[in-house]
Structures are given as structure tokens and as C-alpha cells.
Amino acid sequence: YNGIRNAISIISSQDEQLATDIEYMKKLNSDFIGWLTIKDTPIDLPIVQATNNTFYLYHTFYGQDDPTKVGTSFADYHIPLTATQRPDNLIIYGHNIHTGVGLAKVTNYYPARYGSLNFYLTHPTFKYESVYGGQSNYVVFAGMFVNTSSKQGSVFNYYKNRNFGSTNLFYKYFEQVFDRSVFYNPDVDIKYGDKFLTLSTCYYPYGEAIDTRFVLFARQLRKGEKSVSTKNAYVNKSPLYFDYYYKVNGGSWAGRKWPESLMQGYSEWKKNNT
């Protein structure tokens, strides 16, 4: 990926580099839809979208078989991105490679893995450059460690919610996200109508036989938002995990205790829907 990026910078003029980069990448691969960057990590890479969610698991950016199994990070295929269409929740998948490439460093946001919330505190935002919408900043507001098989407990199918056709769907989905989030930031809220970007990567602390993921949620910065505070962010000491997690680590879920102010309008909606 860095080789691609470097080649682009050589051929791009400084004044028009972003436009030229995007145009050049599209010429290299018509599946190219954008560029994802999380500073201080190897996540500085192209994002593609195919007609399925399997091709780029095993192919390079150029569409060639990838014997290294690194693959290419890709967006969920169900809602094709166009100049006039994007999902409310753009889900991007990528491998967690032991060398640190792909989306491996998304797990930097998992406090239980690194012993602190420091990475989130210093990296609350990241950038995504879209073929269709220019460069946007996204603020991270949740992250969760989840199972994919019912053999390990109840499964939260986070990847099935790409559009929110109503406030009911929106609040019900993000209730589940906040129940499972391993951290909270009271200074960052979400609301119906926001645009979201979700990063999903495999994470196997119990071995590959126990198929699990770390998933990071971010929303696009709203008009007028210039900076994001993390001074009040804190680790959730009792996120909702799955049965196998509690079997190995002990404990149980302490129940829903996140601040309702994390979702604008949620308290009123809950009153009318309970």
C-alpha cells in the first residue's frame, strides 16, 4: 500500500494531489472507492468495493491472487457507493495481519488488549477520502469485541445495519453497540441522520477456532465541529460480552449503564417505547 501511495505522490502535482491521487487510483482499479488513514499506524491504505464480501479477502488491490493472505481492505458490497448513494453506516472489513498491516491496528483501541485507553485518548479521529465526497474526518465513539458463532453465545449481527430507515432502527441498533462498547466518551454523541463508518477486523485471543472480531464505530464530524475532546472518556468496566468470554474470564454483564446523552433524543424515545 505504501508503495502505491508513494508512486502516486511522485506523479501528482502538489496543488492537485488529492484529486490526482483519487483519479489515478480509480484508473488502477475501478473498484477503488476511497482512502483510509489512522495516523501513527500502517492504516494508510486504499479501500475497494466489489460485488461480494469475499473476493478481496484473498486478492491484492490489483485483483491478483494474494499468496500472503493479506488481501485488501474493502467496503460491504450490499449498497454500492455512487456519486448519489452511500449507506448511513459504511462498513469496512480488513484482515488483522500479525505483521501489523491491513486493519490490525484497529485493535489499538481495545483497552483490554493494551492495558489502557491511551490510543483512543490521543487518536479520537481518523480520515477517510472518498472518490465521491472528498476528505472527511470521523470521530470514534465506540468499540466492541464480539463473537460470530452462536456456539460461543448470542451473536450481535452488527454488519446487517447499513441504513437506518427510522429512529426506531437507529436507537435499537446503537443500544446494542453501546451495551458492548469497551469505552465511552461523554463529549461525543450521535444522532439520527449522522453518517457512520465502521471498521471490522478479526481478533483471535482464544485462537482461530473461536471466531471473534474487534469492531470500531465512528461518525462523520458535523458541520462546524473542529476538534474533539477526550478528557472525559473512560473505560467501560463491564461491557456486554458473549458466553465464551465469561466462561474463560469469569464475571457477567452488570447491565446497561451508559449515559443516555450519548444518543441525542434517546431518553425521550425510550419513554415512548417501553
Side-chain angles (χ1 to χ4, degrees):
Y1 297 139
N2 286 336
I4 297 172
R5 193 67 157 177
N6 291 338
I8 293 169
S9 64
I10 292 172
I11 68 164
S12 301
S13 67
Q14 189 170 10
D15 293 339
E16 301 178 349
Q17 183 164 344
L18 176 58
T20 306
D21 284 2
I22 295 297
E23 181 181 348
Y24 181 66
M25 293 297 291
K26 197 71 175 173
K27 288 180 180 178
L28 290 177
N29 183 347
S30 61
D31 288 340
F32 172 71
I33 60 165
W35 199 284
L36 176 68
T37 304
I38 300 179
K39 69 176 183 178
D40 302 324
T41 77
I43 300 175
D44 185 21
L45 45 82
I47 305 300
V48 292
Q49 185 181 49
T51 56
N52 58 63
N53 281 350
T54 57
F55 182 81
Y56 282 106
L57 287 172
Y58 313 106
H59 290 81
T60 70
F61 175 81
Y62 299 101
Q64 301 166 335
D65 287 337
D66 187 358
T68 68
K69 307 300 182 184
V70 170
T72 307
S73 296
F74 61 92
D76 183 272
Y77 79 96
H78 287 87
I79 301 176
L81 272 76
T82 68
T84 58
Q85 174 180 270
R86 67 148 283 175
D88 297 330
N89 183 20
L90 177 61
I91 302 172
I92 293 176
Y93 301 97
H95 286 307
N96 182 345
I97 305 300
H98 71 278
T99 57
V101 299
L103 293 187
K105 296 304 181 180
V106 164
T107 61
N108 282 9
Y109 289 91
Y110 188 20
R113 183 176 190 189
Y114 290 99
S116 75
L117 195 57
N118 286 345
F119 193 81
Y120 174 70
L121 297 178
T122 55
H123 299 79
T125 62
F126 59 77
K127 292 181 180 179
Y128 178 71
E129 300 169 11
S130 171
V131 168
Y132 302 109
Q135 181 172 287
S136 297
N137 289 313
Y138 284 79
V139 55
V140 175
F141 63 86
M144 63 186 188
F145 174 48
V146 295
N147 57 312
T148 66
S149 171
S150 59
K151 292 180 181 179
Q152 280 75 56
S154 179
V155 176
F156 173 41
N157 293 318
Y158 61 92
Y159 51 85
K160 290 188 176 181
N161 291 78
R162 296 170 285 270
N163 273 334
F164 306 109
S166 68
T167 54
N168 280 347
L169 289 175
F170 175 81
Y171 288 127
K172 287 179 179 179
Y173 177 74
F174 282 109
E175 279 182 329
Q176 297 296 312
V177 171
F178 284 124
D179 285 349
R180 292 166 173 79
S181 185
V182 294
F183 58 84
Y184 300 122
N185 185 352
D187 295 319
V188 176
D189 64 9
I190 63 173
K191 66 181 180 180
Y192 183 66
D194 281 336
K195 293 299 183 184
F196 299 92
L197 200 155
T198 297
L199 304 179
S200 176
T201 192
C202 50
Y203 173 52
Y204 299 137
Y206 307 121
E208 293 187 19
I210 308 299
D211 194 34
T212 47
R213 302 285 184 273
F214 188 75
V215 188
L216 195 68
F217 298 85
R219 70 157 170 83
Q220 192 173 38
L221 285 182
R222 300 169 190 145
K223 186 176 180 180
E225 282 187 310
K226 300 295 184 183
S227 60
V228 175
S229 174
T230 60
K231 66 179 181 179
N232 295 313
Y234 61 95
V235 174
N236 179 10
K237 295 181 179 179
S238 181
L240 174 57
Y241 287 118
F242 44 96
D243 292 347
Y244 189 84
Y245 176 93
Y246 296 119
K247 180 180 178 180
V248 173
N249 298 284
S252 62
W253 186 40
R256 184 171 289 169
K257 295 184 177 181
W258 41 268
E260 293 185 356
S261 58
L262 292 175
M263 287 197 279
Q264 290 187 24
Y266 174 72
S267 295
E268 188 63 28
W269 173 85
K270 190 175 76 168
K271 273 192 225 176
N272 298 324
N273 288 273
T274 53

